[in-house]
Amino acid sequence: MVCVFLGPTWCDLETGLSENYYETSCPRVGDIVKEQVNKLYEQHGNTAVSWLRLIFHDCMVQSCDASILLDSTANLVSEKGSDRNFGMRNFKHIDTIKSAVENECPGVVSCADIITLAAKEGILMLRGPAIAVKTGRRDSRESSASVVEKYIALHNDTIDVVLSRFQSMGIDAEAAVALLDGGAGAHTVGRTHCVNMVHRLYPTVDPLMDSDYADYLKKRCPTANPDSKD
């Protein structure tokens, strides 16, 4: 990953962002990202979902700083290994987008902004709204692996725990539902893994779960000890 370290740490936050941040330094960055997102979708299927999850898991932990892209080294533990980031994929496709941007504007656009612009295009591909996003974010040199669990709730946490995590970021209950709801919100796309579901199916079905839906899930997840990839 060739990130542009425009600032020392996540502490720079998002000051100085603007919709035309790269107007003179890389005016086609939005078009380049859009072109690459469309190509990747055509080549690899529904990568649009990956962009949405990537921006969520990056921004939820302290700031939108691309720290989630950092790989482990002798002196750094990657956020990718956290169980809260289980199932995250398509990091390599960010490399593809970044390379295309670098070919036209070397050393200018941050990885954090590429994640944001890719998510913007992913939403459009999923027939969501066109969102004007600001750019000018700075990439972190430091991993936030030690605090991932503080910010990202588990799939089976209580609603009070989940809402408190969002509220700590200034996200109210209505917005949290929009992000988490499987009926009308962000979780109408993508998929979950059996390992996140079986505790409600085995040894007995959670009485709060619709019985017909439970029967369907048991067909998709036929064992209490599924492969982590299922």
Side-chain angles (χ1 to χ4, degrees):
M1 173 59 62
V2 185
C3 291
V4 180
F5 296 110
L6 301 176
T9 69
W10 63 271
C11 295
D12 290 290
L13 297 177
E14 296 186 357
T15 57
L17 301 188
S18 66
E19 291 182 21
N20 58 352
Y21 186 85
Y22 297 110
E23 184 176 17
T24 58
S25 59
C26 193
R28 289 194 62 251
V29 61
D31 292 333
I32 297 170
V33 172
K34 182 174 183 176
E35 291 165 4
Q36 292 300 314
V37 165
N38 288 334
K39 286 181 181 178
L40 289 164
Y41 187 91
E42 293 171 359
Q43 294 171 359
H44 303 286
N46 196 6
T47 50
V49 174
S50 298
W51 311 139
L52 296 187
R53 192 176 183 205
L54 182 57
I55 194 172
F56 174 81
H57 282 252
D58 185 41
C59 294
M60 277 293 289
V61 183
Q62 296 189 318
S63 75
C64 307
D65 60 5
S67 62
I68 195 171
L69 300 179
L70 296 172
D71 293 321
S72 292
T73 67
N75 301 310
L76 183 146
V77 177
S78 174
E79 296 170 34
K80 297 176 184 178
S82 170
D83 62 351
R84 306 303 167 95
N85 291 328
F86 171 76
M88 296 287 292
R89 56 197 178 96
N90 290 334
F91 293 109
K92 62 184 179 182
H93 296 332
I94 290 291
D95 290 345
T96 300
I97 300 172
K98 176 63 173 173
S99 295
V101 173
E102 285 291 302
N103 285 338
E104 185 158 329
C105 312
V108 174
V109 181
S110 67
C111 293
D113 280 338
I114 287 176
I115 290 174
T116 301
L117 292 170
K120 170 190 174 182
E121 298 304 329
I123 290 170
L124 283 174
M125 295 187 77
L126 295 168
R127 299 182 181 180
I131 301 172
V133 300
K134 295 180 179 181
T135 50
R137 292 168 186 80
R138 302 176 178 184
D139 292 335
S140 177
R141 293 180 183 270
E142 300 177 4
S143 170
S144 298
S146 62
V147 294
V148 169
E149 294 183 6
K150 175 182 176 181
Y151 292 98
I152 298 180
L154 277 172
H155 63 280
N156 57 351
D157 277 336
T158 66
I159 189 64
D160 289 336
V161 169
V162 172
L163 290 179
S164 70
R165 301 287 173 88
F166 282 101
Q167 288 168 356
S168 70
M169 295 184 64
I171 300 174
D172 62 19
E174 182 178 0
V177 170
L179 286 167
L180 298 174
D181 180 32
H187 278 79
T188 54
V189 296
R191 65 174 186 171
T192 188
H193 293 266
C194 289
V195 69
N196 292 332
M197 300 292 299
V198 292
H199 68 286
R200 298 189 66 191
L201 301 174
Y202 304 101
T204 58
V205 173
D206 185 334
L208 297 178
M209 183 178 288
D210 178 83
S211 59
D212 290 337
Y213 187 49
D215 290 341
Y216 166 77
L217 289 176
K218 279 191 169 185
K219 293 177 181 178
R220 299 297 301 269
C221 306
T223 173
N225 299 294
D227 186 292
S228 61
K229 296 179 181 180
D230 291 340

